[in-house]
Amino acid sequence: GQMVTSLRTCIENLRVNDPSVTVEPIECPALGSGLQLGFLGMLHMQVFQERLFTEYWKTVLVTPAQARYLYEDSSGKRHDLTLYNWKGKHEGVQRYLEPFVKATIICSNEDFTAVNAKAISAFRAECLDQKSLDGTRTVAQYRMPLADLVKGFFDYLKQETHGYGHLEYDDPVYEEADLVKVEIVVNKATISALSTICPRQNADPTGRRIVRSLKENLSRAIVDLPIQ
């Protein structure tokens, strides 16, 4: 509506000197019309959000970054897989597909040990190759899910290397994955805006994290509200 049009005008004005930001319209059954923006990282997004407020007094609701998942039907045709058209294996889905990228990082030898350990333990990365550049820096290649990269790996790299770390990655390639839809139920009602798609191995910690956050932030009610 008019609010989205006004917001887009403000965003386009900011993009004049920040063209790396991409903008696409999006429709969300839970939240309504909106805009889907692409950033270089979480820090970039935070700075852009602050500029929207300080320069145009626009306060926006920001949802977590999402990777684009696909599913393949019995005929081999690929379709977008979202929270709102989710299909189970019993509904004609041959396999789910998740985007993976080949990411290359460059950082100092002193920082590499911590960065490498974090990439593997927290971002599902697989180290493909590593070598020394000039005796002081290390370059390494990883196979990494795009969902984990956008979750904050770039920001972690910049923080750990004090801004000196470098990251670049190729276009995503889709590979078969074991995906599930995690739904959050509050007072016996499924809250679609809190649902998410993730690998099966991450379903339990993801659900626990969301429920814990709700428990900490929801206002106390006169009666107990079950959260699942």
Side-chain angles (χ1 to χ4, degrees):
Q2 186 176 355
M3 293 180 63
V4 175
T5 302
S6 174
L7 177 61
R8 176 146 198 170
T9 300
C10 297
I11 290 173
E12 292 296 345
N13 290 339
L14 293 180
R15 288 183 69 238
V16 171
N17 57 11
D18 194 356
S20 60
V21 178
T22 60
V23 187
E24 292 181 7
I26 189 172
E27 286 290 333
C28 173
L31 302 175
S33 300
L35 297 171
Q36 180 171 279
L37 276 65
F39 299 98
L40 299 177
M42 297 298 289
L43 180 59
H44 185 203
M45 179 196 73
Q46 292 167 4
V47 171
F48 195 88
Q49 185 179 356
E50 289 175 4
R51 290 187 62 199
L52 266 178
F53 179 74
T54 56
E55 297 181 30
Y56 296 100
W57 294 95
K58 293 291 185 182
T59 302
V60 295
L61 173 65
V62 179
T63 59
Q66 296 284 341
R68 180 189 178 206
Y69 296 105
L70 303 176
Y71 74 88
E72 202 172 87
D73 61 25
S74 55
S75 66
K77 187 176 180 180
R78 294 184 174 185
H79 309 266
D80 283 336
L81 180 67
T82 69
L83 291 168
Y84 308 106
N85 73 343
W86 173 266
K87 293 179 180 292
K89 288 290 185 73
H90 62 285
E91 297 176 288
V93 174
Q94 190 70 22
R95 59 176 184 160
Y96 299 117
L97 300 167
E98 180 179 13
F100 283 78
V101 297
K102 182 181 289 185
T104 302
I105 67 165
I106 301 174
C107 64
S108 68
N109 294 342
E110 291 79 9
D111 294 329
F112 177 72
T113 300
V115 170
N116 182 63
K118 191 73 170 182
I120 294 172
S121 64
F123 296 96
R124 293 193 290 152
E126 175 189 352
C127 188
L128 303 176
D129 185 37
Q130 72 176 78
K131 58 185 177 182
S132 176
L133 274 183
D134 49 18
T136 62
R137 294 180 300 164
T138 298
V139 57
Q141 280 193 336
Y142 296 90
R143 172 182 171 271
M144 181 183 295
L146 181 60
D148 286 66
L149 187 144
V150 302
K151 188 174 67 176
F153 180 69
F154 179 72
D155 294 314
Y156 167 76
L157 176 66
K158 287 297 183 182
Q159 179 182 3
E160 184 66 31
T161 62
H162 307 287
Y164 291 101
H166 173 77
L167 168 69
E168 61 182 42
Y169 56 94
D170 299 338
D171 291 338
V173 175
Y174 281 84
E175 300 181 15
E176 184 172 359
D178 186 13
L179 301 176
V180 295
K181 180 181 179 181
V182 178
E183 294 185 324
I184 304 299
V185 178
V186 178
N187 201 25
K188 300 181 181 180
T190 300
I191 310 301
S192 59
L194 297 177
S195 300
T196 186
I197 296 173
C198 69
R200 186 179 299 275
Q201 68 193 61
N202 292 352
D204 184 66
T206 297
R208 289 180 182 275
R209 175 178 54 80
I210 297 173
V211 168
R212 183 168 57 251
S213 179
L214 286 173
K215 182 180 178 181
E216 294 171 353
N217 291 285
L218 279 179
S219 300
R220 289 185 175 273
I222 298 175
V223 295
D224 291 335
L225 292 178
I227 303 175
Q228 301 171 270

